[in-house]
Amino acid sequence: MSEWWTYSLEDFLLFSPRVYWRMFELHNAMVCPLQALTLVCGLVMVALIVRRSPASRRFVALVLAILWAFVGWSFLWNRYATINWAAAYLAPAFAGEALLLFVIGTLIDGLVFCRRGPAAWTGYALLAFALAGQPLLAPLQGRAWTSSEIFGVAPDPTSIGTLGFLLLARSKFLPLLLPIPLLWCSLSGLTLMSMGAPEAWASFAAVALALAACIGAIINEQRPTAR
């Protein structure tokens, strides 16, 4: 029997790249034309935050909670779990994130979208990628548009977009809201890397940028206290 250290990530992959990307095609066909609605919702949420609308706080949190619940149920539980048994254990994490967003952001109004500076710029960059950049990766990699990953429908852009929104918020509850999106991006990046997919860099970059922005924001907030 081979020693455990002789195994690589590819040895733990339960499916081929063709099966993986075909899964997105089937999922997009099943939920179409919902993709247009989720993208519009994402743009509306960004616009409300930019305009500092009083309605932005609860509305953004509520929509994100609905999208996390939907992606966890429709994609992870009903589709991804058919080719990867681990997805059945990750789906409850998406439900947990949906519950946290609903309770913290909607019921107790615990998110205030007023952050500025590098953390906010990073948040907007992640949102731009999640809403407009990630759907373009499929054709750029030579795949059909129908296999594109769309915000609010696929887990990667939904997680990256959520990280973007959270970086725009000030809240004592961020340590509760950030771990699950960060965890998913990390796991997805490892999966994509095991398939040799260039898209892995996007997931890892989102994690690195979000962590760097959070650390920078914490340091900046502690500076006045240190004087």
Side-chain angles (χ1 to χ4, degrees):
M1 182 177 180
S2 301
E3 291 81 358
W4 64 268
W5 58 82
T6 64
Y7 289 93
S8 63
L9 282 174
E10 292 84 353
D11 295 317
F12 296 95
L13 196 64
L14 302 175
F15 43 82
S16 67
R18 184 185 65 82
V19 169
Y20 182 79
W21 298 120
R22 175 61 176 165
M23 173 182 63
F24 286 97
E25 291 186 32
L26 295 173
H27 185 62
N28 282 330
M30 182 187 73
V31 302
C32 186
L34 189 61
Q35 295 92 333
L37 177 61
T38 58
L39 286 175
V40 168
C41 284
L43 293 173
V44 169
M45 289 189 287
V46 173
L48 288 173
I49 291 175
V50 170
R51 296 179 59 185
R52 298 184 179 273
S53 170
S56 66
R57 288 148 56 161
R58 284 191 164 93
F59 177 77
V60 170
L62 178 60
V63 173
L64 287 176
I66 293 172
L67 294 180
W68 274 82
F70 174 73
V71 172
W73 171 77
S74 67
F75 186 86
L76 269 71
W77 184 262
N78 287 324
R79 191 163 298 278
Y80 196 16
T82 62
I83 65 171
N84 184 359
W85 57 267
Y89 295 93
L90 292 170
F94 272 62
E97 182 73 7
L99 181 61
L100 286 172
L101 286 165
F102 179 73
V103 172
I104 294 172
T106 305
L107 294 186
I108 64 177
D109 195 17
L111 293 175
V112 180
F113 297 99
C114 63
R115 191 180 295 279
R116 296 182 178 179
W121 303 336
T122 304
Y124 283 121
L126 292 178
L127 282 168
F129 176 78
L131 293 171
Q134 190 142 25
L136 297 176
L137 293 183
L140 288 175
Q141 295 302 319
R143 302 193 311 273
W145 276 99
T146 51
S147 66
S148 294
E149 298 174 77
I150 309 298
F151 173 78
V153 172
D156 283 18
T158 303
S159 298
I160 294 174
T162 300
L163 289 175
F165 282 116
L166 293 178
L167 288 178
L168 295 172
R170 292 184 182 273
S171 174
K172 62 181 179 181
F173 299 105
L174 288 181
L176 295 175
L177 295 170
L178 286 168
I180 293 176
L182 289 171
L183 174 63
W184 173 263
C185 288
S186 300
L187 293 176
S188 179
L190 290 173
T191 299
L192 292 167
M193 186 171 67
S194 69
M195 295 192 301
E199 290 88 347
W201 68 265
S203 297
F204 291 138
V207 172
L209 288 172
L211 288 176
C214 288
I215 293 172
I218 292 172
I219 292 174
N220 287 334
E221 289 173 357
Q222 289 180 343
R223 280 177 181 172
T225 307
R227 290 178 179 177

